Amino acid sequence: MSRVVDLLRFLGGQVVNRVWRLGRASRFFLAVLLKSGAALLRFPLLLREIWFAGVLSLIIILVSGLFVGLVLGLQGYEILQRYGSAQALGTMVALSLLRELGPVVAALLFASRAGSAITAEIGLMKATEQLKAMDMMAVDPVARVVAPRFWGGVISMPILAMLFSSMGILGGWLIGVVFLGVDDGAFWSSMQASVDFRYDVWNGVFKSVIFGVAVSLIAVFEGYDSEPTAEGVSRAITRTVVTSALAILALDFVLTSFMFRGMP
Amino acid sequence: MSNDNFLVHIENLCFDYDGRPVLQGIDMRIPKGRVVAIMGGSGCGKTTLLRLIGGQLRPTAGSVRVANEAISAMSHARLYAFRRRMGMLFQFGALFTDLSVFDNVAFPLREHTDLPEEMIRDLTLMKLQAVGLRGARDLMPNALSGGMARRVALARAVALDPALIMYDEPFTGLDPISLGVIGQLIRRLNDALGATSIMVTHDVQESLRMVDYIYFISEGRVAAEGTPEEVRASADPFVHQFIAAKADGPVPYHVPAPDMAAEFLGAAHV
Amino acid sequence: MKRSVLDLWVGFFVAIGIGALLFLSLKVSSFSGIDQKNAYTVSARFDNIGGLKAKSPVRSAGVLVGRVTDIRLDAETYEALVEMRIDSHYVFPADSFAAIYTSGLLGDQYVGLEAGSDAEKRLADGGNIKKTQSAVVLEQLVGQFLFNKAAEGQDTP
């Protein structure tokens, strides 16, 4: 009997704890937005964070995009071939990348590459009292440290997602046209005919902006909220990657059901 | 002495951390232009006291007044305006790891002034010269020894010529030479800037050599106070234990525990 | 890292980002093609629209001239009412003919417009296309074919 009570108490505590953290994260998000003015106006600060979040993620994004495109090309060709419509390979590769794989996989990679790095950086600054020191110097750490990192991530994410999709399409082209002999003209023209810029490309970019906001917020919040010890920071990094992945996939479902409902 | 001769007034200051009392009624007055040491064992709430003076924590009861203004009653903006006139040296320096030595010292100047870059450069190099590290300006913090990092942090703390400088354990983890260097620097900078310094430490010998006044804190209260001469001559058992570094005394060696005989023999009977 | 090097890298990053956007917009996708402001709406009734959907293309002589915007069922006549927006660059006679075709054997369906011969009256905004031909439904076609074959078999013993 007491075991059941203990279990219920434990579960209840977990739920309350999650809701409590969600509330803190929301308040933190509001504070970051309110204190973003200076960060957006001070260009060198923002530039450093775009470099940190975006440029340093370039290699992994470009290489992964290429490989995902190669695989899509191979698998897509194999399936389309059965129905004698291998010329639709371009359409298939482009649509799956632009609508889903580009934004989602790029965001997952971004969370594990840049998100974890942002959490680690802020967490270590907290653990070594750099944030407290800044506060004592009358410089608000949320405005000076958190806000530029947040916006650096939000700006980098859609650029990375577009690069991922572009590399993937080139990978699909490489496999389909160069190695498997799909007609070059058919590959591009079937793609162009059925991919709509506003509907497919723009919705994908919009998705990646939302993912960028979510991942960047989770990363800066976990860093800022971490326990100021070595284990605390490493736990925060793990939480960033796990929470980001869940948030990306859940948001993707919600966004997809809004964007691509009942459309051709 | 009249009120105006004191920069910091602390009255009946109490602070609880998660329901555990840390400070239980501290009274202190820090005179202008002096270097005051606050001493006590590890974990007695010395650092908490500094953070209460700096306004990073709010007291549970009592008040801290700096320049006759209550810190805990200030708005965020007012507190930030006040902190521009305060400098604080953190325990391990807390240098910004992504900025070079030069940029660390220039940080407060860049954040709080609109000075042209040449003037910031000159001011920064002057501060670095004062701590003897003008030649290390391009190093990153991870390339500095503990003593050098502490000196850079000191240069950063005084970059805006503060009226009140606080030091959190400035001597921890330093070799004897670095320790002496930091001690002299604290004294020299205080006198050169006409500032007031509060130093939290448990290094007795170095403090007795360089400070003007000492407060001893134990169990959340001021246990003793006095000038270095008074402290050396003191017959107070607490002060005596602290200065002579004795293991047992008013500060007990043993954590309170049940009677030893009862515990060991009792365990054998089970 | 020197500031100028950092600037260079971020500049490079943004530049290839813009490059990717240009690639996606020019090489990979096309705009809907129809400027929604400079277009007019016409409607047509079909007995059966097959697999036609909103946003399906409207073509004339194979050229994209508009998009289907709305499909409803007329509750009284049980006909499908298809609304489409046509680019105002293209003007059609009032007696034009609309049919639903399939691109390729298994491709998407689209509305084909064939210009009529009325030189006086034009299709205007809110206009209605009278002459229509429904979609060819594959099952019906196959059924008809089998029926005809069976009939042939009876004729020639």
Side-chain angles (χ1 to χ4, degrees):
Chain A
M1 188 64 207
S2 81
R3 270 225 186 120
V4 177
V5 173
D6 280 353
L7 182 70
L8 284 178
R9 187 170 294 154
F10 170 75
L11 288 176
Q14 287 284 310
V15 169
V16 168
N17 193 25
R18 293 287 141 79
V19 174
W20 183 69
R21 278 182 70 79
L22 184 67
R24 279 161 63 87
S26 312
R27 259 181 49 189
F28 185 70
F29 185 34
L30 204 67
V32 171
L33 290 185
L34 288 176
K35 291 172 180 175
S36 289
L40 290 174
L41 290 177
R42 284 178 66 177
F43 212 59
L45 281 185
L46 200 58
L47 226 54
R48 187 204 169 265
E49 300 313 329
I50 294 177
W51 175 77
F52 190 75
V55 177
L56 294 185
S57 308
L58 257 185
I59 298 295
I60 187 174
I61 289 285
L62 293 180
V63 173
S64 317
L66 183 68
F67 278 112
V68 168
L70 293 175
V71 170
L72 272 180
L74 274 177
Q75 295 278 23
Y77 182 81
E78 207 267 325
I79 293 169
L80 291 172
Q81 180 80 309
R82 295 182 199 171
Y83 303 101
S85 37
Q87 76 281 356
L89 185 65
T91 306
M92 200 208 92
V93 169
L95 282 183
S96 32
L97 276 166
L98 289 169
R99 287 183 176 186
E100 283 300 327
L101 291 175
V104 171
V105 178
L108 290 173
L109 292 171
F110 180 76
S112 34
R113 172 65 185 80
S116 60
I118 290 173
T119 304
E121 214 193 5
I122 297 180
L124 282 175
M125 286 185 86
K126 186 179 184 185
T128 53
E129 295 193 306
Q130 293 179 46
L131 296 182
K132 265 184 211 157
M134 198 176 273
D135 187 43
M136 271 309 295
M137 282 183 238
V139 176
D140 191 332
V142 174
R144 180 64 172 68
V145 173
V146 173
R149 280 165 178 75
F150 174 76
W151 286 107
V154 172
I155 293 169
S156 301
M157 185 69 259
I159 298 180
L160 291 172
M162 284 192 294
L163 286 170
F164 186 94
S165 298
S166 304
M167 278 311 277
I169 290 167
L170 290 179
W173 173 82
L174 197 67
I175 279 290
V177 174
V178 178
F179 289 105
L180 297 173
V182 175
D183 182 62
D184 189 37
F187 183 87
W188 291 113
S189 66
S190 83
M191 186 190 294
Q192 223 171 44
S194 42
V195 178
D196 182 63
F197 183 75
R198 250 166 267 156
Y199 188 62
D200 297 310
V201 178
W202 214 232
N203 273 346
V205 172
F206 181 72
K207 264 189 184 179
S208 65
V209 172
I210 301 288
F211 295 161
V213 171
V215 174
S216 307
L217 176 67
I218 290 168
V220 292
F221 175 71
E222 290 294 356
Y224 197 78
D225 203 52
S226 64
E227 224 180 287
T229 60
E231 308 91 75
V233 174
S234 82
R235 269 201 303 274
I237 295 170
T238 310
R239 273 204 305 270
T240 293
V241 176
V242 172
T243 317
S244 295
L246 290 176
I248 290 163
L249 296 173
L251 279 172
D252 183 48
F253 171 70
V254 174
L255 289 172
T256 304
S257 63
F258 271 113
M259 285 172 173
F260 300 104
R261 177 187 290 168
M263 293 293 187
Chain B
M1 278 196 275
S2 83
N3 257 1
D4 292 343
N5 290 329
F6 295 99
L7 185 64
V8 181
H9 291 257
I10 298 175
E11 275 163 23
N12 186 34
L13 188 68
C14 298
F15 184 77
D16 293 357
Y17 187 78
D18 277 349
R20 188 172 58 86
V22 179
L23 302 178
Q24 313 175 39
I26 299 261
D27 289 293
M28 271 183 198
R29 291 189 300 176
I30 313 287
K32 273 183 190 160
R34 299 297 162 86
V35 179
V36 175
I38 299 173
M39 305 182 85
S42 302
C44 74
K46 300 180 307 251
T47 303
T48 307
L49 187 58
L50 279 194
R51 297 187 58 201
L52 283 160
I53 298 173
Q56 287 192 320
L57 295 173
R58 303 243 150 182
T60 318
S63 74
V64 177
R65 283 183 296 132
V66 177
N68 284 321
E69 228 178 305
I71 291 283
S72 56
M74 284 181 188
S75 68
H76 188 260
R78 183 84 186 125
L79 184 62
Y80 264 28
F82 243 70
R83 284 192 189 156
R84 293 184 190 200
R85 307 285 293 131
M86 293 181 188
M88 181 144 167
L89 180 71
F90 281 76
Q91 191 165 356
F92 294 104
L95 292 176
F96 301 132
T97 36
D98 57 334
L99 299 179
S100 69
V101 165
F102 180 91
D103 289 332
N104 259 287
V105 179
F107 183 87
L109 296 165
R110 288 190 174 134
E111 292 292 326
H112 290 309
T113 67
D114 292 324
L115 296 174
E117 193 55 37
E118 309 95 74
M119 203 180 276
I120 286 184
R121 180 180 168 276
D122 293 348
L123 285 169
T124 305
L125 290 182
M126 273 164 60
K127 300 293 175 191
L128 279 173
Q129 174 70 18
V131 297
L133 290 174
R134 193 161 46 88
R137 74 183 95 162
D138 291 327
L139 295 180
M140 293 306 278
N142 54 18
L144 299 176
S145 71
M148 280 160 84
R150 215 67 64 86
R151 276 146 75 186
V152 174
L154 189 52
R156 186 180 67 179
V158 299
L160 289 171
D161 296 338
L164 174 64
I165 313 173
M166 291 182 278
Y167 300 91
D168 186 6
E169 307 275 12
F171 305 124
T172 308
L174 293 184
D175 62 83
I177 299 175
S178 304
L179 197 147
V181 168
I182 294 283
Q184 281 174 25
L185 268 176
I186 291 172
R187 184 78 241 182
R188 275 222 324 266
L189 281 170
N190 188 71
D191 297 346
L193 293 170
T196 305
S197 298
I198 305 174
M199 182 169 80
V200 152
T201 180
H202 41 230
D203 189 287
V204 183
Q205 300 313 326
E206 187 61 33
S207 308
L208 284 175
R209 204 176 309 152
M210 54 161 289
V211 303
D212 299 312
Y213 203 79
I214 301 173
Y215 282 97
F216 285 93
I217 295 185
S218 177
E219 289 169 0
R221 291 192 178 79
V222 174
E225 58 182 285
T227 62
E229 291 75 37
E230 289 168 359
V231 166
R232 278 200 192 92
S234 171
D236 186 291
F238 174 80
V239 173
H240 191 68
Q241 186 196 354
F242 210 91
I243 292 179
K246 287 193 177 151
D248 216 349
V251 178
Y253 170 69
H254 286 290
V255 172
D259 183 65
M260 189 166 77
E263 189 153 23
F264 284 113
L265 296 176
H269 284 297
V270 171
Chain C
M1 169 118 339
K2 282 249 175 64
R3 172 110 302 161
S4 58
V5 179
L6 196 149
D7 289 358
L8 191 69
W9 271 104
V10 174
F12 169 72
F13 175 64
V14 173
I16 61 171
I18 293 171
L21 184 64
L22 285 178
F23 170 70
L24 294 179
S25 63
L26 297 178
K27 184 88 180 163
V28 171
S29 70
S30 56
F31 290 87
S32 304
I34 303 306
D35 185 352
Q36 289 295 323
K37 281 176 198 131
N38 292 318
Y40 58 98
T41 305
V42 296
S43 59
R45 288 163 183 279
F46 294 93
D47 292 331
N48 192 327
I49 58 163
L52 197 72
K53 301 183 193 87
K55 281 207 143 196
S56 289
V58 178
R59 297 177 194 278
S60 183
V63 178
L64 184 74
V65 296
R67 294 262 175 201
V68 172
T69 51
D70 190 29
I71 298 172
R72 280 186 315 247
L73 181 69
D74 187 323
E76 284 171 15
T77 61
Y78 297 103
E79 285 174 321
L81 188 63
V82 175
E83 271 185 12
M84 45 207 141
R85 299 273 293 168
I86 312 260
D87 193 325
S88 27
H89 289 112
Y90 306 111
V91 182
F92 290 91
D95 61 345
S96 293
F97 172 72
I100 297 175
Y101 298 117
T102 308
S103 46
L105 192 59
L106 296 166
D108 280 343
Q109 287 184 304
Y110 66 94
V111 177
L113 275 183
E114 274 164 49
S117 55
D118 193 333
E120 311 266 302
K121 285 168 81 182
R122 304 286 166 92
L123 270 180
D125 192 42
N128 189 14
I129 299 172
K130 304 277 182 331
K131 287 196 280 182
T132 63
Q133 182 197 312
S134 290
V136 176
V137 179
L138 203 60
E139 294 92 315
Q140 288 179 358
L141 208 65
V142 172
Q144 217 165 23
F145 174 76
L146 290 176
F147 182 78
N148 287 346
K149 273 287 176 198
E152 268 174 44
Q154 278 173 352
D155 287 347
T156 51

